[in-house]
Amino acid sequence: MNENKPGASQNLACVFCRKNDDCPNKYGEKKTNEKWNLTVHYYCLLMSSGIWQRGKEEEGVYGFLIEDIRKEVNRASKLKCCICKKTGASIGCVAPRCKRSYHFPCGLQRECIFQFTGNFASFCWKHRPVQIISSNNYRDSLPCTICLEFIEPIPTYSILRSPCCKNAWFHRDCLQVQAINAGVFFFRCTICNNSDIFQKEMLRMGIHIPEKDASWELEENAYQELLQHYEHCDVRRCRCKEGRDYNAPDSKWEIKRCQCCGSSGTHLACSSLRSWEQNWECLECRGILYNSEDFQKAKKHTLPNTNSMGITDCLLEESSPKLPRQSPGAQHKDLLRQGSKFRRDVSTIMMELGFQIKKKTKRLWINKANIWNSALDGFRNQNFNPSYTIEVAYISENDNFGREHPGSKQEFLSLLMQHLENSPIFEGSLSKNLSLNSQALKENLYYEAGKILAISLVHGGPSPGFFSKTLFNCLVYGPENTQPILDDVSDFDVAQIIIRVNTATNVADLNSVVNECYNYLELIGCLRLITSLSDKYMLAKDILVYHVIKRVQAPFESFKQGLKTLGVLEKIQTYPEAFYSIFCHKPENLSAKILSDLFTVRTLSDVQALGFWNSYLQAVEDGKSAITMEDILIFATGCSSIPPAGFKPTPSIECLHMDFPIGNKCNNCLALPITNTYQEFQENMDFAIRNTLRLEKEEGSHYIGH
């Protein structure tokens, strides 16, 4: 099928309606097959009563074979249009005993209804479906909710009512234009955003909803302005000779934006910042954050002593005069003033942290058989900068040719988090605390673990989900303000001592426990004189605090320093409620709806395959398949859950003529097979996903706990 050449086919008439009009909104796309000298309107072809799509999408015209089109033209040549009285009426009313036939443009003119769904039925003006309302209580005109022009709220061919919102009325033409622009994924009620009920009714009333992405999603660089960064130095005395708008990356004259509002900036040198990784707040945000009751209670980080700040306090005294403006940053500051009532979504916070990532890339060569050590080598490299965009290349020790294969960054970070969760620097079963590992302390692995965790979160890695509430509270409020619980103790013997202390019923029993554990209690500094039974509570508390907090003080401080990378720790301390869910809880279970909404459809895909895909997701959710939702996501992206920062690029699906699905983890793309039956589709999906993940698991099982 050849595309129309500008001006070449505009004068060619459609073989069905014999009109040369080229109006996609009314008649569908006009296509010309130069080889067979055949021109058709898409809607004329689609609604013709005696033709079916027997070929593949790329065959003939939209899957309609040339020989079938010619047969249908020949059949229609014997039928007279009941409207214009000319031959070639290929469309007939489907109502029983109705013999009216007409051309598609004539049917539109006579207000016939064409249903672009199911069997693609057509109804003449006598038998067309109508909208019925119980009573008409509308005395005045109401606006069309799309064009806002006032209309009489009476359902007719030209005026349609929303099935889900009784006060929503539309022009048919307005609805059709919106449906073509929005596509099946974004076409919904303009009032309540309902899509299922709304689309079903609009299809019944003859609105064509194309199976495509929205036109604004397909426009190149449509949201480019949202990626523009604020680049202006706002400190009172800018020391840059090139001016306040001068920005030189990787130098002291690079502009750093306020980490809270993003609408104020400073040169690194103008605020005495040593590196890009240091956090900086503008004067207004600093006053709001550091004077709030929450901040005072949490004892996060303190401001430097103003007496020792030198020129810096002058530089931060006030921002330079600006024209009055209302920016997202100003709105953000208004929210900050709400103090403890202020809440933020973690995905928004991660997006703000992601603004630090620069376009400059750093490639990491990762050996899957030794993922932890190869990752450490990359992160410890003197040329590695955590704010550079990470690229991953997989290599193998057994490959004598030194070949490398492009890798998925998010899959790499997921594997890294799995290793970290099971590494000896943490202890516990589900909710983990830091352990005391002398070798790890010697090799500075606690710092590296904190650094890797921070980098993973900002660069799109998965939620950790394995922190204990105690460890998280230590990071946010400090160990001195945190009280551990018995579940934090993973050492069986220590747990038994605490239990025996807590369950002592009299002073004699309590002294007996103290005497038996005398050496241990003396070693940890918890030995105390027992004078009453109530002393057991203080003793149990002292043992808990020592074992969970004081014993691991050095690992904790090292881990905390690493977590400061890219400003992650400061964000955690500022928004603890937002981060608690991703640090201490595993992500929510995936559902068919979540995955269906997550994957976007690339280009014009096979409608039947997309239907099979939705049915397959529902079958997996209902337990009718050995595959899980997490298996599908891993197969396509390398991640078993949706990262806090989201996927980049957005996961997508496409339909290809092949037997089995293919998952491209680098692009987060899932290619679906086009099959004749749903049973074949499910069997092929199950087989490919199950065996692919099994092979990957067998290859990697020996290094996850290495």
Side-chain angles (χ1 to χ4, degrees):
M1 192 66 195
N2 298 319
E3 295 287 343
N4 293 341
K5 296 180 180 179
S9 63
Q10 291 182 0
N11 296 324
L12 297 177
C14 170
V15 294
F16 288 106
C17 68
R18 300 171 186 174
K19 289 181 176 289
N20 57 11
D21 303 53
D22 189 3
C23 184
N25 286 352
K26 290 181 67 176
Y27 308 135
E29 192 174 8
K30 186 179 179 183
K31 287 280 190 175
T32 297
N33 188 305
E34 296 178 351
K35 179 180 179 181
W36 299 99
N37 192 26
L38 193 71
T39 300
V40 295
H41 290 124
Y42 180 45
Y43 295 170
C44 293
L45 175 63
L46 203 59
M47 301 307 303
S48 293
S49 303
I51 190 170
W52 290 266
Q53 189 180 32
R54 297 195 302 126
K56 297 179 180 179
E57 191 70 26
E58 65 274 8
E59 293 184 87
V61 183
Y62 297 113
F64 293 91
L65 303 181
I66 299 297
E67 56 182 292
D68 291 344
I69 296 176
R70 291 192 165 183
K71 287 180 181 179
E72 179 64 5
V73 172
N74 183 54
R75 184 190 71 85
S77 65
K78 302 171 185 177
L79 300 173
K80 184 179 291 186
C81 175
C82 64
I83 300 171
C84 71
K85 309 303 180 184
K86 296 179 181 179
T87 59
S90 61
I91 305 172
C93 177
V94 299
R97 295 188 295 277
C98 181
K99 298 182 179 180
R100 292 188 180 92
S101 296
Y102 35 82
H103 303 103
F104 184 84
C106 295
L108 286 181
Q109 181 183 355
R110 196 66 173 83
E111 299 185 348
C112 299
I113 279 185
F114 305 93
Q115 294 181 341
F116 294 88
T117 185
N119 293 324
F120 294 89
S122 170
F123 298 88
C124 69
W125 59 94
K126 289 287 186 181
H127 302 111
R128 71 189 182 205
V130 295
Q131 288 186 312
I132 300 175
I133 57 176
S134 56
S135 61
N136 190 354
N137 297 322
Y138 304 102
R139 298 180 180 178
D140 301 322
S141 299
L142 293 175
C144 165
T145 58
I146 297 178
C147 71
L148 302 182
E149 180 181 327
F150 280 90
I151 56 179
E152 290 297 323
I154 300 174
T156 63
Y157 175 82
S158 301
I159 306 297
L160 298 178
R161 181 192 185 191
S162 171
C164 40
C165 295
K166 63 180 181 180
N167 292 324
W169 295 81
F170 313 90
H171 291 109
R172 173 182 289 272
D173 292 342
C174 293
L175 272 175
Q176 187 57 76
V177 171
Q178 178 155 317
I180 290 175
N181 285 319
V184 68
F185 304 106
F186 292 93
F187 183 58
R188 55 195 65 188
C189 176
T190 55
I191 303 297
C192 69
N193 257 357
N194 180 283
S195 59
D196 296 336
I197 299 174
F198 186 76
Q199 287 190 16
K200 185 177 180 180
E201 174 66 5
M202 293 305 117
L203 287 169
R204 186 180 77 89
M205 296 306 297
I207 299 298
H208 178 223
I209 310 173
E211 288 273 354
K212 69 177 186 68
D213 211 345
S215 57
W216 57 84
E217 294 287 339
L218 302 175
E219 183 181 346
E220 188 175 0
N221 297 325
Y223 306 103
Q224 192 65 33
E225 67 276 5
L226 298 180
L227 302 178
Q228 294 178 357
H229 293 167
Y230 185 82
E231 294 184 350
H232 184 81
C233 181
D234 296 309
V235 297
R236 184 178 182 182
R237 298 175 185 172
C238 176
R239 293 188 285 176
C240 180
K241 295 180 179 179
E242 301 294 330
R244 292 183 178 272
D245 294 323
Y246 181 71
N247 183 26
D250 300 320
S251 74
K252 65 180 181 179
W253 301 119
E254 182 171 7
I255 290 180
K256 171 82 175 178
R257 292 176 299 281
C258 172
Q259 66 166 340
C260 295
C261 67
S263 61
S264 295
T266 177
H267 290 114
L268 298 183
C270 293
S271 290
S272 301
L273 299 177
R274 296 180 181 178
S275 69
W276 173 266
E277 284 73 28
Q278 280 187 263
N279 286 316
W280 176 81
E281 301 99 359
C282 64
L283 183 68
E284 188 171 0
C285 290
R286 177 172 293 223
I288 296 168
L289 283 175
Y290 292 83
N291 291 325
S292 66
E293 291 182 6
D294 270 6
F295 180 81
Q296 299 291 341
K297 179 181 178 181
K299 295 185 179 179
K300 295 167 188 168
H301 49 283
T302 57
L303 288 173
N305 190 315
T306 53
N307 295 330
S308 62
M309 288 178 66
I311 194 172
T312 310
D313 57 343
C314 298
L315 296 173
L316 293 175
E317 183 177 340
E318 61 177 321
S319 58
S320 60
K322 304 177 189 176
L323 293 174
R325 60 192 172 95
Q326 184 67 14
S327 66
Q331 298 168 6
H332 179 78
K333 291 168 186 174
D334 291 336
L335 290 174
L336 278 172
R337 292 190 179 93
Q338 297 175 12
S340 61
K341 297 180 180 179
F342 180 62
R343 301 290 183 268
R344 297 197 64 189
D345 182 73
V346 70
S347 60
T348 305
I349 301 170
M350 299 312 303
M351 181 178 68
E352 292 176 0
L353 287 171
F355 287 149
Q356 301 174 80
I357 301 176
K358 304 173 183 177
K359 293 182 179 180
K360 188 173 181 179
T361 60
K362 174 62 180 177
R363 173 163 292 191
L364 299 179
W365 284 271
I366 303 300
N367 180 3
K368 274 192 174 183
N370 195 359
I371 194 166
W372 176 253
N373 287 330
S374 55
L376 276 181
D377 290 342
F379 291 140
R380 284 173 167 173
N381 188 296
Q382 61 179 359
N383 294 323
F384 177 78
N385 187 326
S387 63
Y388 287 170
T389 298
I390 294 176
E391 288 184 352
V392 175
Y394 288 133
I395 57 175
S396 174
E397 293 177 346
N398 300 324
D399 190 343
N400 297 326
F401 297 98
R403 288 170 294 193
E404 59 184 55
H405 307 281
S408 163
K409 177 181 67 176
Q410 288 176 312
E411 179 191 34
F412 158 65
L413 294 175
S414 294
L415 293 174
L416 203 53
M417 283 301 104
Q418 291 178 36
H419 179 95
L420 193 60
E421 181 176 357
N422 296 286
S423 69
I425 67 174
F426 289 99
E427 62 183 19
S429 54
L430 297 177
S431 297
K432 297 180 180 291
N433 289 290
L434 290 173
S435 66
L436 180 59
N437 187 304
S438 58
Q439 186 63 29
L441 199 57
K442 182 179 178 181
E443 296 177 7
N444 204 26
L445 292 185
Y446 290 99
Y447 170 82
E448 297 296 344
K451 176 182 175 182
I452 288 173
L453 182 56
I455 292 172
S456 174
L457 283 173
V458 178
H459 284 265
S463 305
F466 59 85
F467 277 41
S468 71
K469 186 176 181 180
T470 298
L471 176 56
F472 183 78
N473 285 342
C474 285
L475 290 170
V476 176
Y477 305 114
E480 68 278 6
N481 297 317
T482 302
Q483 178 58 49
I485 59 175
L486 184 60
D487 289 342
D488 293 321
V489 180
S490 59
D491 188 304
F492 178 79
D493 294 331
V494 176
Q496 286 300 307
I497 293 174
I498 297 172
I499 292 172
R500 289 182 62 191
V501 169
N502 277 326
T503 56
T505 57
N506 52 58
V507 175
D509 288 344
L510 188 55
N511 275 316
S512 176
V513 176
V514 172
N515 290 333
E516 289 181 27
C517 307
Y518 185 91
N519 292 334
Y520 171 72
L521 295 176
E522 184 181 36
L523 177 66
I524 66 175
C526 294
L527 191 62
R528 62 169 53 234
L529 179 64
I530 304 298
T531 58
S532 66
L533 186 60
S534 60
D535 289 340
K536 69 178 184 179
Y537 301 112
M538 289 304 299
L539 178 59
K541 180 181 178 181
D542 289 345
I543 299 173
L544 266 175
V545 170
Y546 169 79
H547 186 81
V548 179
I549 295 179
K550 292 183 178 180
R551 182 177 63 97
V552 295
Q553 185 175 356
F556 174 78
E557 290 300 326
S558 182
F559 179 77
K560 185 178 174 182
Q561 289 300 316
L563 202 55
K564 289 182 178 180
T565 305
L566 294 173
V568 171
L569 179 61
E570 285 77 6
K571 287 292 186 183
I572 295 172
Q573 293 174 335
T574 307
Y575 308 107
E577 289 190 3
F579 281 93
Y580 177 76
S581 60
I582 67 171
F583 272 84
C584 301
H585 294 289
K586 291 295 183 182
E588 65 175 330
N589 292 331
L590 298 173
S591 65
K593 186 178 188 312
I594 290 175
L595 280 193
S596 179
D597 293 342
L598 179 64
F599 284 87
T600 60
V601 179
R602 300 178 86 183
T603 67
L604 186 64
S605 296
D606 185 270
V607 177
Q608 179 174 267
L610 291 178
F612 288 168
W613 161 249
N614 290 322
S615 299
Y616 180 68
L617 291 179
Q618 194 59 53
V620 172
E621 183 176 17
D622 294 341
K624 298 177 181 178
S625 168
I627 302 303
T628 66
M629 293 293 179
E630 288 70 23
D631 291 339
I632 298 174
L633 193 60
I634 293 173
F635 181 77
T637 67
C639 299
S640 60
S641 62
I642 301 174
F647 284 105
K648 293 180 182 179
T650 302
S652 60
I653 55 176
E654 58 182 349
C655 304
L656 300 178
H657 289 281
M658 56 189 181
D659 294 329
F660 297 99
I662 297 176
N664 186 338
K665 297 176 183 178
C666 293
N667 295 325
N668 296 330
C669 180
L670 175 60
L672 301 176
I674 296 179
T675 60
N676 294 323
T677 65
Y678 171 73
Q679 183 178 357
E680 183 184 358
F681 181 88
Q682 178 171 345
E683 289 175 353
N684 292 358
M685 291 289 290
D686 285 352
F687 178 84
I689 295 175
R690 181 176 62 250
N691 286 283
T692 299
L693 298 187
R694 178 179 59 82
L695 290 173
E696 290 179 352
K697 188 174 182 180
E698 289 175 356
E699 291 176 359
S701 61
H702 67 283
Y703 68 82
I704 290 297
H706 183 68

